[in-house]
Structures are given as structure tokens and as C-alpha cells.
Amino acid sequence: MDLDPDVCYRAIQTRDARFDGRLFVAVKTTGVYCRPVCPARTPLRQNVTFHATAASAQEAGYRACLRCRPETSPQLGAWNGASNTVSRALALIEAGALDSSCENGGDVETLAERVGVGGRQLRRLFLQHLGATPIGVAQTRRVLLAKQLIHETDLPMGEVALAAGFGSVRRFNETFQQLYDRPPAALRRRKAQSLPNRPAPPGEAISLTLRYRPPYDWDGMLAFLAMRAIPGVELVDNNVYRRVIALDGAAGTLAVTPIDGDRLSVAVRFPKPSALPRILARVRGVFDLSADPIGIGEVLSRDPDLARKVALRPGLRVPGAWDGFELAVRAILGQQITVVQARKLAGDLVAAHGEPLSEPWAEPGLTHAFPSAEHLAAADLSGLKMPGARIRCLSAMAEAIARDPNLLSPTASLTEMVARLRALPGIGEWTAQYIAMRQLREPDAFPAADVALMRALADADGVRPTPEKLLARAEAWRPWRAYAALHLWASLADEGAPPVRKIKRAA
């Protein structure tokens, strides 16, 4: 990522919030790196260098500022504009691909193999686009999360080390001593030091904040999630999104609430603290916190029809999925029926095959974890009220995921992933594009055969474009066609049209 030094320096002089998360300022005289909004006195021009990522600054030998706390900056996805290979590798790192505590954890060579390149090539691409190696990015991710846990919770240092993804407390202490020239406990603020240094009781939530770049259409996000909330698994109430989460054979809950216009509060109740990095990564994906709404809006607003829709809903995001298999099942259930009907079917599926949540993790309205692929692959689904062909499609998807848990991981290009999904029985173009949009976080995924999209762009006489014409028009929306689709869907809801869609069934 190219950074114009003059532009960057003017940004830190004015503490321009538009650059927060886009660049980090390394100060040679102090050895620290800061956010551009840091309240400290602006250093002299000759004493600073600029980095696209925190990992780049940290790998250059700088330590995170204790005043502006770079770990709390919005993660805008510095890889936007980088190669697709880097984007996919970063998504896998966020999912724990380089964490020793993760069951899918491994080394750089394994990561490179998953995205289809060699280890040396992957390192070169990371240095070119991010200024840091894959290991450096993963290490920075662990350090900054640990630093945030130290500042925002009263967890003992041993639990902080585990929750941040460090393999051992010794390695955790050594890393902080090396980076900050002090033990981790010395970084805890005085007000936090007065709190009891005790392990969290079972069922007690760990609460952290995640920043994003405003604007954010929180009402639109909640409306989308509420319409599709699976009974027993998800709940939207009083401006809060809650759901059951399952990882590594354990289950718990999380609650997400907006605060202060640029942050989300995330309360996690989960029996395995080591899963926290992956839980937070999934929350960022579900709520699309790495999006740059200003940049996306500028591209989409070049289309006169979309410009009006973008102006009505600034900050509209693409809702992600907590789990790829769960989303795939929902997409299959939703073929040829309304969203409301699909939601009821999903609730019936969970009631029949979901894993009941045990104490102390259960909450009112949150009773079951979504069934695993292994469970549904072996289950008798004939009791579900839907066509036999769709039941067979559901079983085939469960069997495919059970055989290859990484099937819905971002390991290939959009075109390759769509082709891979379409090779599964009963998965058509719409379903594949929808999964790519919400699970693989492909910003250019676009289900052109969606009837609602065509209805949203009907002319004054009510004539709708064909899927082919819609695809041709959508070329101007690249690489943000997924966001265009969300704006078109939202426009129908704003006009009072049914917020549900029927799709053309694939052959």
C-alpha cells in the first residue's frame, strides 16, 4: 500500500480521523508507533515514518503507543487493494491459521498451501502489500489483543495470555518484556489495578470494544439479522444482537451492542478463553467492521440510481455469517420460499437436531447451538417440511463440510469458490454467490438472478432488467457489487415492498 508522506503528515498534524486505521505513525525519537489521531504533540517531520499496518510498524522495531492505543483503532482492512492471495491469507490468519492453540493452526507453509502459493511467495506478497511477514501479522494480532485485554478487563495475566492466543505464559511475558521493556502487568491502568485480580467465574462475560469507521447503518444491520434470526440460536432485542456460538466442541453466547457511534461492545461468555481471538474475528466479519463506507459509497454513487440509495442509507454494511455451514444450510432452506418461511424451517431444524445449551451458558431465548455438519450428515432429515430434493441437497452439503471443514474457507478466488460450491448437489449460482457474499466476505459477490434485485431496478414502466443486463450494469459497481446488492434490497424495504426474496432455481 503506497502512502504519500506529505499527505500522511498533514493527516497527523490535523489529527484527521479519516486516516485512523489506514496508517500508523512511527516516531524515531521515542520508538513508538501511534494512530494519526494520537493526542500527543505532533513530532517533527524528519522524525516520523508511516506504515500501512500495525504489524509493519511493530516489525520495524516500534512498540505500540500507550496513550492512543493502536489496538483500538478501526481495522479497515489495509489489504483492500492488495492481492487476492494476501486478502485470503489474512482472513485465514484472523481465523487462527497461525495460532498454535487452534485445531487448524499451522505454519506459513501450510497457510501458503491453503491459498495456492508457495511459502516464499506468500512472504514476498505480505512484505510488498503490508510491510510485514505472515508471522509478524499474527504476532502483532496477538500482542494487540493482549494489550486490549490488559486495559479493558480485570483478567489475570495468565488468562490474558491464553485468551490472546499465546502458547504459554512464559512466551507472553517474554514478548511484552521485549516490546515494552516491562512486564505485561505494568501496562494495566491504575483503575484496573484496583479491580480484583481473579479468574472469571464460569459464565461471566469478557467485554471488549471493537471500533469501526463511521457512518454505520446499525438499524439496517439489525433489521437484516432480525429478519433471519434463527429461533433458539439468535435473538435481536432492545438494540442488541445476541446469539449462541460454538467452537472446538464448546458452546457459549455473545452479545453485541453499539456505543458512542464508532464502536461495538462485545460481551463473550464462553468456556474456552483461547477461542477469543477467533470469536472476535468472526464478530468483525458478521458486522463488517473492516469496511470503508466512504470509499465504497464514492464508487457506488457514480450510478445515479444507486447514489440516491447510498445517500438514504450511509454506512450500510454487508452482514456476514457466524458459521459457513450454518449459512449454507440457511441458504438451502431459503430456496424458492420467503425469508420468514426459511426462518421457521431453520428453527424447526435446530429444535430437532441442535445441541441444547447447558448451564451456566444458557440465556433466555438462547437455548441451542446450531447442529454441526457431522451431526446433520448422519441425521434423518425426512421430518422437515420441505421437498425431498432439498433434503438431499442439505444432506449432501453436510457430508461435504464433514469431509472437508475448510470447504467454506476463503482459500481461492471468487470465481473458483463459486465453481466449487456449484459442484455440490442442489447449489446454484444464487446460493453460491450468497454464500460467497456473507461467509467468504467477498465484496464483489453478486447474485444477479435474484428477483428482488431486478425488481429494485425496474424502470418507470415496471420493466425489470434480465440477469444478463443486471450483470452488465453491475460492472460499474466493481469491486463493491455485494454492497450494491444490499442497497438494492434495502431500498425495497424502505419502499414498503416485502423484505423477502424468491430466486430463480438453478438447473
Side-chain angles (χ1 to χ4, degrees), residues 1-351:
M1 181 177 178
D2 294 328
L3 298 175
D4 185 317
D6 293 329
V7 172
C8 293
Y9 192 69
R10 286 197 296 272
I12 67 170
Q13 281 182 311
T14 58
R15 294 176 174 79
D16 193 334
R18 293 175 300 172
F19 289 81
D20 194 17
R22 288 183 172 277
L23 65 90
F24 296 87
V25 187
V27 185
K28 300 175 185 176
T29 51
T30 61
V32 304
Y33 68 92
C34 303
R35 297 160 60 187
V37 294
C38 185
R41 186 176 64 180
T42 304
L44 297 176
R45 174 67 184 82
Q46 64 267 26
N47 291 334
V48 298
T49 57
F50 302 101
H51 298 261
T53 64
S56 172
Q58 195 153 298
E59 206 156 275
Y62 295 90
R63 63 184 184 276
C65 176
L66 298 179
R67 189 169 182 181
C68 67
R69 296 182 56 203
E71 71 274 10
T72 64
S73 65
Q75 296 188 13
L76 291 182
W79 49 93
N80 286 342
S83 73
N84 288 332
T85 301
V86 171
S87 299
R88 296 194 298 270
L90 277 165
L92 293 173
I93 290 173
E94 278 286 296
L98 294 180
D99 290 351
S100 59
S101 60
C102 176
E103 62 179 357
N104 293 323
D107 55 18
V108 174
E109 296 298 329
T110 303
L111 174 64
E113 183 179 348
R114 291 180 66 183
V115 295
V117 298
R120 180 178 297 180
Q121 172 73 347
L122 187 64
R123 293 184 187 92
R124 185 188 68 78
L125 288 172
F126 265 64
L127 288 171
Q128 175 186 342
H129 292 287
L130 304 179
T133 64
I135 291 295
V137 169
Q139 171 82 332
T140 301
R141 169 176 165 266
R142 285 191 290 269
V143 168
L144 293 184
L145 175 55
K147 191 166 176 287
Q148 186 178 7
L149 287 166
I150 290 171
H151 283 298
E152 297 183 12
T153 75
D154 63 332
L155 290 176
M157 291 301 146
E159 290 196 19
V160 169
L162 185 63
F166 284 88
S168 68
V169 175
R170 178 179 178 181
R171 178 60 179 158
F172 167 67
N173 289 328
E174 289 175 348
T175 299
F176 270 77
Q177 190 68 44
Q178 178 183 358
L179 288 176
Y180 298 101
D181 196 29
R182 66 193 76 181
L187 298 179
R188 179 154 278 170
R189 292 179 174 177
R190 289 181 180 177
K191 65 177 182 180
Q193 288 177 335
S194 64
L195 295 172
N197 189 30
R198 55 169 176 78
E204 183 173 304
I206 297 175
S207 296
L208 293 172
T209 58
L210 299 178
R211 287 187 181 269
Y212 56 83
R213 184 179 184 185
Y216 192 112
D217 184 7
W218 178 252
D219 291 340
M221 173 64 75
L222 273 195
F224 187 97
L225 295 175
M227 178 65 70
R228 294 157 181 81
I230 302 172
V233 176
E234 299 172 282
L235 185 64
V236 177
D237 187 41
N238 293 326
N239 209 35
V240 180
Y241 172 79
R242 295 181 174 86
R243 71 158 293 136
V244 178
I245 56 177
L247 279 174
D248 301 341
T253 63
L254 64 80
V256 182
T257 312
I259 51 176
D260 297 340
D262 65 348
R263 291 180 294 163
L264 296 182
S265 172
V266 183
V268 179
R269 301 172 64 244
F270 199 73
K272 294 185 177 181
S274 60
L276 185 62
R278 285 175 289 150
I279 292 172
L280 295 178
R282 292 196 186 196
V283 171
R284 289 190 182 95
V286 169
F287 291 94
D288 199 12
L289 299 187
S290 294
D292 178 3
I294 304 300
I296 294 168
E298 288 175 353
V299 172
L300 299 184
S301 294
R302 296 169 190 166
D303 184 306
D305 287 336
L306 273 183
R308 291 189 290 271
K309 294 173 174 54
V310 171
L312 284 173
R313 284 188 175 269
L316 186 68
R317 312 292 172 114
V318 175
W322 169 259
D323 176 77
F325 176 64
E326 178 184 308
L327 177 69
V329 170
R330 280 297 313 273
I332 293 169
L333 293 177
Q335 292 175 351
Q336 297 294 303
I337 62 175
T338 65
V339 173
V340 174
Q341 291 170 318
R343 179 176 180 268
K344 183 180 184 306
L345 266 181
D348 294 342
L349 178 71
V350 167

Side-chain angles (χ1 to χ4, degrees), residues 377-442:
D380 178 6
L381 304 179
S382 59
L384 294 175
K385 297 178 181 179
M386 60 184 187
R390 201 162 303 154
I391 290 177
R392 290 191 292 274
C393 175
L394 198 60
S395 296
M397 173 62 75
E399 291 168 3
I401 299 296
R403 286 194 306 269
D404 180 9
N406 294 320
L407 181 63
L408 297 179
S409 296
T411 56
S413 68
L414 172 60
T415 301
E416 292 169 327
M417 288 301 300
V418 167
R420 188 182 301 175
L421 290 169
R422 292 196 64 179
L424 297 172
I427 302 297
E429 178 71 15
W430 184 93
T431 306
Q433 292 283 349
Y434 188 71
I435 292 172
M437 177 192 296
R438 294 195 57 199
Q439 164 61 17
L440 303 179
R441 307 304 303 151
E442 286 283 355

